[in-house]
Amino acid sequence: MVETNDGTPPPGRVLLIEDEPNIATAISFLLGREGWRVSTHSDGATALDAVARHTPDVVVLDVMLPGRSGFDVLGGIRAGTGDVRADLPVLMLTAKGQTKDRERAAALGATRFMTKPFSNQELVAAVADLARGPV
Amino acid sequence: MPRSIPTGRRIRERRLSLGLKQAALATTVGISPSYLNLIEHNRRAIGGALLTRLAEALGSDRAALAEGGDSALIEAVQAAGAAGGVAEGPLADAATLAQQHPAWARLIEAQAEAMAAQARTIEALSDRLSHDPTLAEAMHELLSTVSVVRSTASILAQTPEIDANWRGRFHANLDADSRRLADGVEAVMELFDGRATDGGERLLPSEVVSRFLDDAGHRFPALEELGTSAIAPLVAGLADPQARALAADILRGDAEDAARLPREVVEAASGPDDLIAAAGGDLALVLRRLGTVDPGRGLVVCDAAGALLRRKPVAGFALPVMGAGCPLWPIFGALARPGHPISTVIETPDGAVWRVHAVAQAAVPTGFRDVPVLRATMLLTRADGTGDAMPVGPGCRVCPRPACAARREPSILTGGVALDMAPVTEDT
């Protein structure tokens, strides 16, 4: 495991829910390099089970998922479905230009957004911010 | 708007100017002199083959005799002129233009129609960008791939010390995803290219079908004789498969109607009341059958949203070619009271009076959990010009009535009527 860049305590677990394998690879590499333990999950239908099983500190959630949309998964998390922590920080990945998606995710309680294509540094910084919790 | 001259009076004037006796003309066209007399006094609606025979006997053009024939053309020219910013003075020349140069007037009309159709195509295309699932999917695919390429490339660029295994993996991903990107762009280009070339006449399927129905006068004798087996050859000439399917649907309904209420029965009836028993109490069926069988009657069918599903125009009653009708038409009132038949009299802006029969009925749901689908039907029959008739219009865009509480948009005929109409008074 790589050491963190600054002196902050070591990061925790990230669950990446994303069906595009090559994005998952890139994000896993980026976060793993910062010391995060990254698990990936690619199916919307079983995503909530995965959240309950992995008990991550941060969830990175794509909007477009097979089986069940990212919105539904987010709604499930916020409803505390199946012993999931309802206040879990969620970074939502939406497509650029889809303002409606963004508004919908905000209404459902996404903690933060990132539009695809994203900048690697911003993504890493956003996950670190979320793990620190509300300021 | 020019006051239209009823067909009957045109026939009478033409006959008198030729010095023909009523009886002589009646014999030539094969009807009784008393019937011709009724026609000449606008007491019988006329259309179809008889009008053609009369036109021939009078050495005249069918369109010139039919009421609304040239007045529709004048209105179309006026509308095109008004839309193009022609001043009110020259706008009045539309009548002269349409009468003296009908070919040019028809060209103006056709061009105005083509422009309206193109405007709708543009609207539909911009709508597609936000609602087309194929396009949305293609764009999503592009964006995801771009995301991978961007993220992966920047990892490689910013991590010179990267482990060889990771580097190999990222290079392979970049190679695969750049290829995906190229394919995705090609797919999107094909999507647009295909749409640009299949535009054809740029008419929506519903417009193609409504033109097809109008060309046949909404009458298909083959359906009456052969039933549904006549549908396929009738619609074979429609190139667009969507339009063909839509037309086949409508004709299937017509064939079923014809089987339930045969043409002889309909032709023997003098009005809707005579047919209720034969139709098994289905009032909408009675109106649809009278509307399609009798060329002298108009027919309008709409759904609960007020969208006009069928519009069979009748000479003298202008139905909008596209868009909504007049909110004062009894057909919309019928929607408020499903099952209650309406029989009332209305007056169009040119002073013509019409008997209207209307009813809204729900299609029988297939199960108790289904929502019944409501449709309203309206039959238009020319009536004598007496009594209290409710003033209505052809739809706001082409309606000249200046003070109308129901107006929703300015008319193009009256040079931009302001929308600050008289306040609607409440019943106390």
Side-chain angles (χ1 to χ4, degrees), chain A residues 20 22-23 25-27 29-30 33 62 64 95-96 116-121, chain B residues 140 143-144 146-148 150-151 154-155 158-159 162 166 169-170 173 177 180:
Chain A
E20 173 57 57
N22 293 358
I23 290 195
T25 306
I27 294 179
F29 173 85
L30 288 164
R33 199 171 52 169
D62 187 34
M64 291 278 253
K96 212 172 189 87
K116 286 182 181 179
F118 48 82
S119 127
N120 291 348
Q121 284 79 3
Chain B
H140 177 256
L143 267 175
S144 319
V146 167
S147 302
V148 184
R150 164 125 202 250
S151 202
S154 92
I155 288 171
Q158 289 160 13
T159 326
I162 195 166
W166 276 109
R169 194 163 163 191
F170 283 138
N173 285 357
D177 284 317
R180 247 174 83 191

Side-chain angles (χ1 to χ4, degrees), chain B residues 404-423:
Chain B
C404 175
R407 181 171 286 286
R408 65 174 169 261
E409 59 178 336
S411 168
I412 50 171
L413 296 180
T414 43
V417 175
L419 277 171
D420 53 340
M421 58 275 188

Side-chain angles (χ1 to χ4, degrees), chain B residues 333-345:
Chain B
L335 283 171
R337 299 207 305 160
H340 286 253
I342 292 176
S343 172
T344 186
V345 182

Side-chain angles (χ1 to χ4, degrees), chain B residues 272 283-284 287 300 329-335 337 339-344 355-361 376-380:
Chain B
L283 301 178
L287 302 185
V300 181
W329 288 351
I331 190 173
F332 302 120
L335 283 171
R337 299 207 305 160
H340 286 253
I342 292 176
S343 172
T344 186
R355 164 67 58 182
V356 173
H357 296 88
V359 71
Q361 275 175 202
T377 310
M378 168 168 88
L379 180 71
L380 294 159

